[in-house]
Amino acid sequence: MEVYQCEMLSEVHLRSAERLRELCCANRGTFIKVGQHLGALDYLLPEEYTRTLKVLHSQAPQSTRQEIEQVIREDLGKEIKELFVSFEDTPLGAASLAQVHKAVLQDGRTVAVKIQHPKVQAQSSKDIFLMEVLLLIVKQIFPDFEFMWLVEEAKKNLPLELDFLNEGRNAEKVAQMLKKFDFLKVPRIYWELSTRRVLLMEFMEGGQVNDKAYMEKNGIDVNEISRNLGKLYSEMIFVNGFVHCDPHPGNVLVKKCPDSGKAYIILLDHGLYQVLSESFRMDYCRLWQALIKADMKRVQKYSRRLGAGDLYPLFACMLTARSWESVNRGIDQSPLSASEDVEIRSNAAAYLPQITQLLNNVPRQMLLLLKTNDLLRGIESALHTRASASSFLNMSRCCIRAVSTYQRSKSHSLYRRVHISLTEALSLWQIDLYELFLWLKGSCLGNWVIAFLSRMHHST
């Protein structure tokens, strides 16, 4: 009987998801954008929805050549042939709000030209209003349906995403903020030919970050890419509080430099960023520290502070995409198993009312972070690097640095500031030592040392 009910529920979810996809495709623009957002929530929504809505990433509408020429003429005051030596008609990629074309400027520079679909700007406010009305009607019929956060996020984020000058500023800001990472590439912006609807960038190409076959073919270390991507996002989330919130594979490319042999991560599409308040960032840091240490009292404390209330166990599972048993045991103690992954995805359907309730209660800053977490997990799953120890170690380092910097900024005592710095240095040193131990444990040298010590022990 229980199996039959699960099958029936799955059929209902699938039918609803397909109708939602058809609605998004029919209305295009803002509806596709929201559908893509839902499709990214792998561990928060039933699989029938995420699997069905994921196709919207490849089914975005394309503007015609005439529409592109119109936008460029209106915004830049010139024809395409006056600005470019060559301009490829077929877009490199098309998204819900814009599409990108490869072109060559008159001075020989190869550029990527991002052009907004001409009707999106005028239509977006009407789409959001219609979406709000539809959700309110559904809410009246089904009281457990808690998806108003979708409209709230769209209202706040769409105007920013539709302003390409804002996207250019974000790109420059994150490039400066993360300049210490020599493996990161962010395309340069050509401001002289950029407007709110047209953005000219340095042209960069590579394989998608989830394309394991591409990496193996080009001699790129999959583990190194996964590790470096984790470093980037840990730095953005925990240290800087300025987070690129759309890391789907089309926006994160990898490429190996033929001269140096170094592998780079190329970060594209900087329209959507989440700015985290200091208080939120500190609570989030401390929550992740508690999750990594399996300190359940602090997990409960900081989950509640972030709006989870009595649903804090579910909140912890949503954040980590691990079972409650794994969270209690310590998420770094055992890798994610196939059976646990199935259990988590099944629970997304079983606990959908509670999950939507949580999404309504947590701070708005959390919503894009949850989407970002799920997109990053999807990349790790494709590369088979999920739940590696290095990712938790990098997160721990960033949390320690962020909390120590915050504590020093609030302290007026020199002795206290020195004590905080020494404690920080000691904690970071302990992580380095543990990482060295893990490396030795997995290396040939480490195995030889362990075998040698074992023989010495038996001989004595």
Side-chain angles (χ1 to χ4, degrees), residues 254-353:
V254 293
K255 186 172 185 179
K256 190 169 187 177
C257 177
D259 298 327
S260 65
K262 186 174 181 62
Y264 293 100
I265 292 176
I266 302 167
L267 201 57
L268 306 175
D269 196 346
H270 300 271
L272 186 59
Y273 272 76
Q274 178 68 70
V275 179
L276 308 180
S277 68
E278 190 173 63
S279 59
F280 174 90
R281 186 165 55 88
M282 287 302 103
D283 285 341
Y284 194 60
C285 278
R286 288 174 170 128
L287 173 57
W288 268 104
Q289 285 180 309
L291 287 166
I292 291 168
K293 293 177 181 176
D295 184 341
M296 302 319 294
K297 285 186 178 179
R298 285 168 65 85
V299 167
Q300 181 178 352
K301 175 183 175 181
Y302 289 108
S303 294
R304 288 182 181 278
R305 286 182 62 159
L306 289 169
D310 292 336
L311 293 173
Y312 72 90
L314 178 61
F315 184 56
C317 295
M318 287 166 61
L319 277 179
T320 58
R322 301 297 301 268
S323 66
W324 182 237
E325 183 185 345
S326 293
V327 170
N328 274 276
R329 190 168 58 242
I331 53 177
D332 63 336
Q333 295 304 306
S334 58
L336 179 73
S337 65
S339 59
E340 186 182 356
D341 193 53
V342 170
E343 177 191 343
I344 294 161
R345 291 178 185 276
S346 301
N347 285 342
Y351 291 99
L352 186 57

Side-chain angles (χ1 to χ4, degrees), residues 13-287:
H13 282 318
L14 183 59
R15 188 167 64 246
S16 301
E18 287 170 347
R19 287 176 179 173
L20 183 57
R21 182 190 61 202
E22 289 166 9
L23 174 72
C24 292
C25 290
N27 288 280
R28 304 174 57 168
T30 307
F31 280 82
I32 286 184
K33 189 73 185 173
V34 171
Q36 289 173 342
H37 186 121
L38 291 172
L41 302 178
D42 268 310
Y43 292 90
L44 302 183
L45 296 179
E47 187 183 5
E48 292 84 0
Y49 284 92
T50 56
R51 187 178 67 245
T52 304
L53 295 174
K54 265 184 172 59
V55 302
L56 292 175
H57 281 291
S58 58
Q59 288 188 0
Q62 288 188 21
S63 294
T64 64
R65 171 78 181 207
Q66 289 73 24
E67 289 173 325
I68 290 166
E69 288 175 343
Q70 179 190 343
V71 172
I72 289 178
R73 191 184 306 118
E74 290 174 356
D75 281 44
L76 298 177
K78 291 184 179 181
E79 300 295 334
I80 284 179
K81 61 184 179 182
E82 295 178 79
L83 294 167
F84 307 104
V85 174
S86 68
F87 186 95
E88 294 186 3
D89 284 344
T90 304
L92 297 168
S96 54
L97 306 181
Q99 61 193 53
V100 180
H101 292 258
K102 183 180 180 181
V104 179
L105 291 169
Q106 297 290 349
D107 60 10
R109 288 177 294 177
T110 303
V111 294
V113 188
K114 184 172 182 177
I115 305 159
Q116 194 171 115
H117 299 311
K119 298 173 185 176
V120 167
Q121 195 86 242
Q123 192 65 32
S124 60
S125 56
K126 298 174 187 173
D127 286 346
I128 292 172
F129 175 73
L130 176 59
M131 206 177 298
E132 188 170 19
V133 170
L134 290 172
L135 287 174
L136 284 170
I137 292 170
V138 173
K139 171 70 175 169
Q140 291 299 314
I141 301 170
F142 304 104
D144 287 340
F145 188 86
E146 298 279 1
F147 274 90
M148 290 309 297
W149 56 271
L150 266 176
V151 175
E152 292 170 17
E153 285 300 289
K155 278 182 179 178
K156 182 182 72 175
N157 295 321
L158 260 178
L160 296 173
E161 290 191 81
L162 289 169
D163 181 1
F164 289 175
L165 295 178
N166 175 67
E167 179 176 343
R169 289 189 292 269
N170 286 343
E172 291 193 339
K173 181 175 179 178
V174 82
Q176 177 64 24
M177 196 175 277
L178 302 177
K179 63 182 180 181
K180 70 176 185 178
F181 296 117
D182 60 356
F183 56 81
L184 173 65
K185 296 288 184 184
V186 176
R188 178 186 169 193
I189 306 298
Y190 298 121
W191 290 108
E192 68 275 15
L193 291 171
S194 294
T195 68
R196 288 174 64 89
R197 295 193 300 168
V198 179
L199 187 66
L200 253 71
M201 303 162 280
E202 175 186 3
F203 177 75
M204 291 184 173
E205 59 184 341
Q208 291 194 357
V209 73
N210 65 340
D211 192 342
K212 192 177 181 186
Y214 169 87
M215 294 191 211
E216 290 172 349
K217 181 181 176 182
N218 289 274
I220 298 172
D221 186 341
V222 169
N223 290 303
E224 180 189 357
I225 292 296
S226 183
R227 187 164 57 246
N228 287 342
L229 189 63
K231 285 180 182 178
L232 285 179
Y233 272 87
S234 290
E235 192 79 15
M236 282 192 271
I237 293 169
F238 300 113
V239 178
N240 296 313
F242 186 68
V243 190
H244 180 284
C245 284
D246 204 9
H248 74 76
N251 289 339
V252 187
L253 307 181
V254 293
K255 186 172 185 179
K256 190 169 187 177
C257 177
D259 298 327
S260 65
K262 186 174 181 62
Y264 293 100
I265 292 176
I266 302 167
L267 201 57
L268 306 175
D269 196 346
H270 300 271
L272 186 59
Y273 272 76
Q274 178 68 70
V275 179
L276 308 180
S277 68
E278 190 173 63
S279 59
F280 174 90
R281 186 165 55 88
M282 287 302 103
D283 285 341
Y284 194 60
C285 278
R286 288 174 170 128
L287 173 57

Side-chain angles (χ1 to χ4, degrees), residues 253-445:
L253 307 181
V254 293
K255 186 172 185 179
K256 190 169 187 177
C257 177
D259 298 327
S260 65
K262 186 174 181 62
Y264 293 100
I265 292 176
I266 302 167
L267 201 57
L268 306 175
D269 196 346
H270 300 271
L272 186 59
Y273 272 76
Q274 178 68 70
V275 179
L276 308 180
S277 68
E278 190 173 63
S279 59
F280 174 90
R281 186 165 55 88
M282 287 302 103
D283 285 341
Y284 194 60
C285 278
R286 288 174 170 128
L287 173 57
W288 268 104
Q289 285 180 309
L291 287 166
I292 291 168
K293 293 177 181 176
D295 184 341
M296 302 319 294
K297 285 186 178 179
R298 285 168 65 85
V299 167
Q300 181 178 352
K301 175 183 175 181
Y302 289 108
S303 294
R304 288 182 181 278
R305 286 182 62 159
L306 289 169
D310 292 336
L311 293 173
Y312 72 90
L314 178 61
F315 184 56
C317 295
M318 287 166 61
L319 277 179
T320 58
R322 301 297 301 268
S323 66
W324 182 237
E325 183 185 345
S326 293
V327 170
N328 274 276
R329 190 168 58 242
I331 53 177
D332 63 336
Q333 295 304 306
S334 58
L336 179 73
S337 65
S339 59
E340 186 182 356
D341 193 53
V342 170
E343 177 191 343
I344 294 161
R345 291 178 185 276
S346 301
N347 285 342
Y351 291 99
L352 186 57
Q354 291 87 344
I355 289 172
T356 55
Q357 181 187 337
L358 258 174
L359 293 175
N360 251 3
N361 291 343
V362 296
R364 300 299 91 182
Q365 300 167 80
M366 181 62 73
L367 297 175
L368 283 179
L369 282 188
L370 288 167
K371 172 193 171 185
T372 304
N373 282 349
D374 272 7
L375 286 168
L376 292 172
R377 284 190 199 107
I379 292 169
E380 289 177 345
S381 293
L383 301 180
H384 300 123
T385 57
R386 276 290 309 273
S388 64
S390 63
S391 64
F392 295 123
L393 294 175
N394 286 324
M395 288 173 68
S396 296
R397 285 190 182 96
C398 287
C399 289
I400 289 166
R401 286 168 45 220
V403 171
S404 299
T405 301
Y406 172 77
Q407 289 174 334
R408 278 193 296 269
S409 72
K410 298 298 180 184
S411 175
H412 301 292
S413 162
L414 176 62
Y415 170 79
R416 173 68 180 150
R417 288 198 296 271
V418 170
H419 181 263
I420 291 167
S421 296
L422 288 173
T423 303
E424 176 189 10
L426 178 61
S427 298
L428 292 173
W429 178 77
Q430 288 174 330
I431 292 175
D432 290 342
L433 198 62
Y434 181 59
E435 191 168 40
L436 176 62
F437 164 74
L438 290 178
W439 178 80
L440 283 171
K441 187 178 176 183
S443 68
C444 294
L445 175 62

